[in-house]
Amino acid sequence: MPPCINWLQPLLALISSPLVTRGHHCPPRCSCADHYTVDCSGQGLTRVPDEIPLNVRRLVLSNNWISWIPSDFLILYSDLTYLDLRNNSLSYLDPVTLSTSSGLVFLDLANNNLTKIASRTFMESRNLIKLRLGNNPYLNMVDTDAFLGLTALRELDLQRNGFTLLDVRVLEPLRSLQILHVEGNPWLCNCNFAKLYLWLTENQHKLPTGMEGIKCFLPLNGHHVPLSLLSEDSFRQCRGVLALKDYIIVIFSGISVSVAAIVTSFLLASTVNCFHRLSRGCRGDQEEGNQ
């Protein structure tokens, strides 16, 4: 081996050693069972800790007081597959935060203060298999395309939230879904619930507690009844009920038809009047010719 190589080896080792150890450095107040796991649960943290190793694969931040996640948090952690943020104080999930989360397989956001899942939040989470959003008592709204991109998702937890209604279109992109938890929500049994009821009936094999474990609130008498006691006939009065969008279409169509009828009548009247004048003119010319 050339002498220059013998001289460079210790120098390269000295330079590279801080970089290598940085990858295995465990943040303060956290524990690291191995080089790829960081557990910071139950440490009273109010923010995501600094100095998390870049090669982390399993990150546990549960049982803290974290109220927000930086939108660029996941950019550096391309190896992260498991993220546990349950039992914190999160009230909002920025869609930009998960735009670089293509490696995530498990995400737990249960027991927080989320109120809404915004449009296209999980657009880039194509490898996510398990998503927990349960026990967020103020969560009562999910945009129709919020779960667009979750093509590999097998388990979705929406139990014990604040849902009275859920647009069935929210569930349509989840073509790999095998388990769905929706029990414990204050579902309102009205005409807006009818489509979701039919979807749950057709997919009750995906419900761990079955239709028996899901109850809805009857607005007439205030009672809660299991969905297993209902049937399609329970919503038969809704078949002739129009949604707001339908009313808008009907009104717009009516206005369009009225305007078209007025224009047509005006054109017809103008045409008749023209023919009438032309006929009178022809008769006048004929009388003059006879004289």
Side-chain angles (χ1 to χ4, degrees), residues 69-264:
I69 308 172
S71 58
D72 60 349
F73 169 62
L74 294 174
I75 292 178
L76 297 176
Y77 304 107
S78 57
D79 293 335
L80 188 64
T81 60
Y82 184 104
L83 178 57
D84 185 353
L85 279 159
R86 72 184 187 278
N87 198 23
N88 275 283
S89 302
L90 298 173
S91 59
Y92 177 68
L93 183 62
D94 190 339
V96 178
T97 302
L98 296 177
S99 62
T100 55
S101 65
S102 59
L104 274 182
V105 173
F106 175 91
L107 177 60
D108 195 339
L109 296 169
N111 295 90
N112 276 281
N113 297 319
L114 297 174
T115 59
K116 177 183 177 180
I117 305 300
S119 176
R120 304 171 75 86
T121 295
F122 298 99
M123 188 64 190
E124 301 300 327
S125 304
R126 54 185 172 272
N127 290 315
L128 200 62
I129 293 178
K130 194 169 186 176
L131 174 60
R132 290 179 174 174
L133 295 168
N135 292 285
N136 280 273
Y138 307 110
L139 179 57
N140 57 15
M141 184 179 298
V142 178
D143 284 344
T144 53
D145 59 349
F147 294 153
L148 195 65
L150 292 175
T151 54
L153 193 71
R154 298 178 187 174
E155 183 174 346
L156 175 61
D157 182 3
L158 294 174
Q159 64 182 316
R160 291 188 286 277
N161 291 320
F163 292 110
T164 58
L165 172 67
L166 182 67
D167 193 326
V168 73
R169 291 177 295 176
V170 169
L171 304 173
E172 289 175 355
L174 308 178
R175 55 176 179 264
S176 299
L177 190 65
Q178 298 176 5
I179 301 174
L180 175 64
H181 296 273
V182 292
E183 60 273 14
N185 283 283
W187 301 112
L188 183 60
C189 274
N190 56 16
C191 291
N192 293 324
F193 184 75
K195 289 184 178 180
L196 180 60
Y197 170 79
L198 293 177
W199 189 95
L200 293 174
T201 301
E202 294 170 357
N203 294 273
Q204 54 184 303
H205 59 283
K206 300 177 181 179
L207 309 174
T209 60
M211 300 291 277
E212 179 69 28
I214 305 171
K215 296 182 179 180
C216 65
F217 175 77
L218 298 178
L220 293 179
N221 56 24
H223 293 162
H224 286 81
V225 296
L227 297 191
S228 58
L229 299 181
L230 303 178
S231 66
E232 279 192 58
D233 288 339
S234 303
F235 299 93
R236 63 181 178 276
Q237 75 276 8
C238 301
R239 293 170 186 167
V241 177
L242 297 178
L244 176 60
K245 183 174 68 175
D246 298 324
Y247 280 115
I248 293 174
I249 293 173
V250 169
I251 293 172
F252 179 77
S253 300
I255 293 174
S256 300
V257 170
S258 299
V259 172
I262 293 172
V263 172
T264 303

Side-chain angles (χ1 to χ4, degrees), residues 24-32 37-40 49-53 59:
H24 302 321
H25 177 70
C26 195
R29 301 168 64 182
C30 301
S31 61
C32 301
T37 301
V38 176
D39 186 348
C40 305
D50 298 324
E51 302 179 11
I52 297 175
L59 178 59

Side-chain angles (χ1 to χ4, degrees), residues 33-73:
D34 52 58
H35 294 326
Y36 307 106
T37 301
V38 176
D39 186 348
C40 305
S41 58
Q43 297 299 314
L45 301 176
T46 58
R47 57 190 295 272
V48 177
D50 298 324
E51 302 179 11
I52 297 175
L54 298 181
N55 63 342
V56 64
R57 297 179 185 175
R58 181 185 176 95
L59 178 59
V60 182
L61 297 170
S62 60
N63 302 310
N64 284 294
W65 299 98
I66 299 172
S67 59
W68 68 288
I69 308 172
S71 58
D72 60 349
F73 169 62

